[in-house]
Amino acid sequence: YYRAAATRIGLPYDLYRVQILNGNRWCCRCRRFEPREAFIVRADRPSGISSECRESNRAAAREASRQRQRALQNARRTT
């Protein structure tokens, strides 16, 4: 399992395995290792935690909110 995951993100197997065994997890959005505590608990995930760290998740939510606000403002201007 570790070999496939390491290959998928482009890291040497040994480096990836050491990080995982030290209690870290790869954040797929910010593309770096973070401690497990930095991830949101998600019961629907096989690992029990999110694939994105809290910081990345918040940044994505802020950006999505901004985009929705811009879309609403543009819709109001055109009507």
Side-chain angles (χ1 to χ4, degrees), residues 27-43:
C27 175
C28 66
R29 187 173 294 274
C30 62
R31 303 199 45 83
R32 64 179 183 222
F33 282 100
E34 298 282 347
R36 276 184 80 87
E37 298 81 35
F39 291 83
I40 298 168
V41 174
R42 294 229 358 227

Side-chain angles (χ1 to χ4, degrees), residues 6-58:
T7 302
R8 195 170 38 249
I9 63 174
L11 289 176
Y13 166 72
D14 294 335
L15 173 64
Y16 183 85
R17 187 172 181 271
V18 166
Q19 288 289 335
I20 296 299
L21 293 176
N22 284 337
N24 295 324
R25 182 164 167 87
W26 182 258
C27 175
C28 66
R29 187 173 294 274
C30 62
R31 303 199 45 83
R32 64 179 183 222
F33 282 100
E34 298 282 347
R36 276 184 80 87
E37 298 81 35
F39 291 83
I40 298 168
V41 174
R42 294 229 358 227
D44 62 328
R45 304 285 302 182
S47 64
I49 58 176
S50 176
S51 59
E52 301 171 350
C53 66
R54 280 187 177 96
E55 184 180 325
S56 292
N57 194 305
R58 286 183 189 138

